[in-house]
Amino acid sequence: MAGISEYMNWPRIEAVIYGEEASPRDVMGPKLIRDGVLIQGFFPGAKEVEVLAGNKKYPMELQDEAGYFAVLLPLRKIPSYTYHVCFEDREYTFSDAYAFPGQITEEEEKQFLAGVWYGAFEKLGAHPASVGKVKGTYFAVWAPNATRVSVLGDFNNWNGKILPMHRMPMSGIFELFVPDVKPGTLYKYEIISRDGTRTLKADPYAFEVEKQDAEGLKDASVVADLSGFAWNDEEWMKTRCAAPVHKVPVSIYETGLLDWEKPEDLVQFVKSTDYTHVELHPVMEYLEESRGAYSTFSYFAPTSRFGTPEDFRKLVDALHQAGIGVILDWTPAQFPEYESGLQNFDGTPLYEVQNPLFARHPFWNTFLYNYESPM
């Protein structure tokens, strides 16, 4: 039987250790080899690591003092397994993130590259999910020019070396299913650009952003579970397209949610005045009161100033039940400058106009979107 080190790809293991590996699933995913099943993991600072499979425990051997462990299981197929990791003052048991396949299909990746993946928000971002019998959260972010992308949170002590994401070869989408990460968890992406610069970025597809307080700007993304909401607007959904739009009278009431003490007051007012639609000033998350709601920070996240994403769905549902359509203002032309925002997202002008001479709005000093990009 060959030694375990002979089955290990040491150049790529070094890349994992030094934070330079863009496809870690290829390196650390479980492998069925001639002499058994090879399990590898990177646990900086760990004293002992075991693989728990069935009713057996398999101690892992330290292969590199940086915290890279491996073990060869005497099995003929890859089992379901967990890690038990002991540090000096704590210990954890969790499933291996690199044992799970990607959740974005090749067809979806091709649609993304063509700029026609209209359901991208259903996979990009953070989505609580179950893969097999294991619950966790699936993360995906587009950063095609990054050297490495990691997802950070309390679940890995905000250490970018622990959960590097896997790069999809065609699109440059980085993705990873992380077991045991639950709704309500704060997270960001650590992005390493080609020149080695590290930045922490909020998730462009996040459904929720942490709540602002008096201590300063809060810009971490939040894992949000949008499943389980019971809509009661079936009648509205059936009738809204029953007749051609240009043949139906429309009367729109424009307002902002800040103008209303209670959401139900808005519903009652619009219904009593016979408006057919309400046009809301941006409800998407923004960070600074001085910049206002049109300085959108996160397009898919309703601002926490008015409650939770579920609270916003309740408002839309109530308006629809009252026979009132909802129009949302938004800012598709430009976005504000924040270190954790969209600008220079993967170390390059990914979302903004590429020529720096024309990248900013002449009056507001915001960044202008690059409409020539298909993504």
Side-chain angles (χ1 to χ4, degrees):
M1 178 183 291
I4 189 172
S5 63
E6 296 183 28
Y7 293 113
M8 298 168 65
N9 188 328
W10 283 104
R12 295 189 70 177
I13 289 172
E14 291 294 314
V16 170
I17 292 171
Y18 289 103
E20 299 170 349
E21 176 57 55
S23 302
R25 189 183 293 122
D26 293 345
V27 183
M28 293 188 287
K31 295 174 176 60
L32 182 62
I33 58 177
R34 182 185 61 194
D35 294 326
V37 176
L38 177 62
I39 307 292
Q40 305 171 78
F42 184 43
F43 310 103
K47 301 300 181 183
E48 296 179 355
V49 183
E50 292 178 320
V51 170
L52 311 180
N55 297 320
K56 294 187 177 181
K57 299 179 180 180
Y58 301 92
M60 300 187 76
E61 300 175 11
L62 181 65
Q63 301 293 321
D64 188 283
E65 61 183 9
Y68 199 89
F69 290 79
V71 64
L72 188 60
L73 309 185
L75 303 173
R76 294 183 178 275
K77 66 177 183 178
I78 297 173
S80 297
Y81 65 93
T82 58
Y83 290 123
H84 183 72
V85 183
C86 297
F87 295 90
E88 193 70 49
D89 57 349
R90 63 196 188 280
E91 55 186 71
Y92 303 100
T93 299
F94 52 89
S95 297
D96 182 3
Y98 302 106
F100 300 92
Q103 303 300 302
I104 296 174
T105 67
E106 181 178 335
E107 181 60 29
E108 288 170 335
E109 190 178 16
K110 289 179 179 179
Q111 290 176 359
F112 181 79
L113 286 169
V116 295
W117 189 20
Y118 304 120
F121 66 92
E122 296 175 346
K123 293 287 184 71
L124 294 179
H127 299 271
S130 294
V131 179
K133 297 181 179 180
V134 178
K135 293 183 178 180
T137 298
Y138 183 70
F139 296 93
V141 64
W142 182 49
N145 301 301
T147 299
R148 193 205 74 197
V149 179
S150 296
V151 59
L152 311 182
D154 290 336
F155 46 86
N156 63 355
N157 295 315
W158 297 89
N159 186 336
K161 287 188 177 182
I162 295 179
L163 284 173
M165 302 173 74
H166 188 85
R167 180 188 175 97
M168 299 189 70
M170 291 190 295
S171 61
I173 292 174
F174 286 77
E175 51 82 28
L176 191 67
F177 174 74
V178 183
D180 305 319
V181 173
K182 300 177 180 179
T185 301
L186 299 182
Y187 71 98
K188 283 187 176 182
Y189 296 117
E190 180 183 79
I191 297 179
I192 300 181
S193 61
R194 290 172 178 172
D195 65 1
T197 301
R198 298 170 185 252
T199 57
L200 291 182
K201 292 291 187 178
D203 189 344
Y205 283 82
F207 290 143
E208 190 172 353
V209 176
E210 65 177 320
K211 192 171 184 178
Q212 302 300 304
D213 59 30
E215 297 181 1
L217 296 180
K218 302 290 185 180
D219 56 11
S221 303
V222 179
V223 177
D225 185 1
L226 301 186
S227 65
F229 183 79
W231 291 91
N232 296 291
D233 60 351
E234 295 87 352
E235 188 62 30
W236 164 259
M237 298 300 290
K238 289 179 182 178
T239 59
R240 67 174 182 173
C241 296
V245 175
H246 64 281
K247 293 185 178 181
V248 178
V250 173
S251 179
I252 301 172
Y253 180 73
E254 181 181 346
T255 187
L257 291 181
L258 285 172
D259 299 331
W260 301 89
E261 185 174 348
K262 299 178 181 179
E264 52 266 31
D265 294 340
L266 170 62
V267 177
Q268 293 172 4
F269 172 80
V270 178
K271 185 176 181 180
S272 66
T273 50
D274 292 329
Y275 284 99
T276 63
H277 291 72
V278 60
E279 179 180 346
L280 297 177
H281 297 166
V283 300
M284 302 81 177
E285 190 60 82
Y286 59 99
L287 298 184
E288 296 181 80
E289 303 297 335
S290 60
R291 294 196 182 192
Y294 284 90
S295 58
T296 304
F297 175 73
S298 190
Y299 281 89
F300 291 86
T303 175
S304 60
R305 292 164 179 80
F306 307 121
T308 66
E310 180 160 332
D311 291 329
F312 178 66
R313 288 190 290 182
K314 289 179 180 178
L315 173 60
V316 174
D317 194 42
L319 286 164
H320 283 180
Q321 289 184 63
I324 301 163
V326 181
I327 301 170
L328 299 180
D329 280 4
W330 63 302
T331 50
Q334 78 279 335
F335 57 88
E337 180 177 6
Y338 292 109
E339 184 177 359
S340 59
L342 295 179
Q343 78 274 9
N344 208 41
F345 190 79
D346 62 356
T348 68
L350 188 63
Y351 289 97
E352 64 267 37
V353 173
Q354 305 223 344
N355 188 331
L357 297 176
F358 304 101
R360 291 180 181 267
H361 193 285
F363 300 119
W364 301 315
N365 202 34
T366 52
F367 283 97
L368 299 172
Y369 279 104
N370 177 18
Y371 291 128
E372 294 182 355
S373 171
M375 274 75 79

